[in-house]
Amino acid sequence: MHIRPGRDGDVATVLAMFDSAVTWLSAHGRTGQWGERPFTGDERRTEQVASWLAGGGMRIAERDGRPAGCISVGPAHGYVTPAAEPELYVQALVTDRGHAGHGVGRALLEWAFGEARERGVGLVRVDCYAGGDGRLVAYYESCGFIRSAPFTVGEWPGMLLHRHV
C-alpha cells in the first residue's frame, strides 16, 4: 500500500469513496452516520473535501495502484472541546468499499501517528458517529484510541477519541 499527498483530481475520487461507503451503510440500514444521499453532487460536501485538499492534510492510500482510502488531518472541528496540548486532528477517514477488509483505514491512521511524531506532537484525536450499534467507536478503540467525551451535533451522536503517540 502506498500513501501519497492529495493532488488535483482527488476531490472527485474522495467523493466517490464516500459514495461507496454511503451506499454500503444504507444497504445495511446504517444511515445515521452519513445519511443516504451520495456526496458527489452535494455542494457542501464538495467544498468540504476541497478544503481538506487545500489545507494540505489530505492523504490518499493506493492499493494495487488504485485509490483505496483517504485521511485528512488539520484543525479540530469546532463542535469538539479544544485539546489541552498540541495535537494532530483526524478530520476525516474513509475507505472505498471496494477495498474493505485490506487494512486501508488502519494504514492511514498509522500514517497519522507517524506524522504526529514527525511534527513533535504527542496527541492524535478523532471524532466519529457514536450511534447505531457503536461499531465505529469500537473500530477506533481497536486502533488504540481511547474515548474522551460524547457530544451531539443537532441530533447526531458523536464520540471524541484520543491516542497518545
Side-chain angles (χ1 to χ4, degrees):
M1 190 167 325
H2 172 69
I3 298 175
R4 63 167 175 80
R7 60 183 179 224
D8 289 343
D10 282 336
V11 171
T13 300
V14 173
L15 290 168
M17 289 177 192
F18 277 104
D19 292 348
S20 77
V22 166
T23 298
W24 185 86
L25 289 165
S26 294
H28 290 86
R30 299 171 65 191
T31 59
Q33 182 174 341
W34 289 324
E36 300 176 71
R37 294 182 37 224
F39 279 35
T40 300
D42 182 315
E43 185 177 334
R44 183 179 67 85
R45 296 294 194 180
T46 300
E47 289 172 3
Q48 184 179 41
V49 175
S51 75
W52 300 334
L53 178 61
M58 179 188 284
R59 296 295 181 274
I60 304 294
E62 293 179 331
R63 193 172 152 266
D64 299 327
R66 297 184 332 217
C70 173
I71 193 168
S72 180
V73 296
H77 299 297
Y79 52 78
V80 299
T81 305
E85 63 185 277
E87 70 175 336
L88 186 70
Y89 197 88
V90 177
Q91 298 171 317
L93 176 67
V94 65
T95 299
D96 186 289
R97 291 305 302 173
H99 298 273
H102 293 279
V104 175
R106 288 181 190 276
L108 288 164
L109 288 171
E110 286 299 325
W111 170 85
F113 302 146
E115 181 71 7
R117 286 188 292 271
E118 282 184 27
R119 294 182 186 189
V121 175
L123 178 65
V124 177
R125 294 196 309 161
V126 66
D127 70 82
C128 70
Y129 177 67
D133 57 13
R135 287 174 56 185
L136 190 53
V137 173
Y139 169 77
Y140 283 110
E141 289 175 324
S142 77
C143 295
F145 284 92
I146 298 168
R147 295 175 193 218
S148 298
F151 65 91
T152 57
V153 176
E155 294 184 18
W156 190 85
M159 178 63 66
L160 178 63
L161 300 104
H162 71 276
R163 176 174 164 174
H164 284 94
V165 294

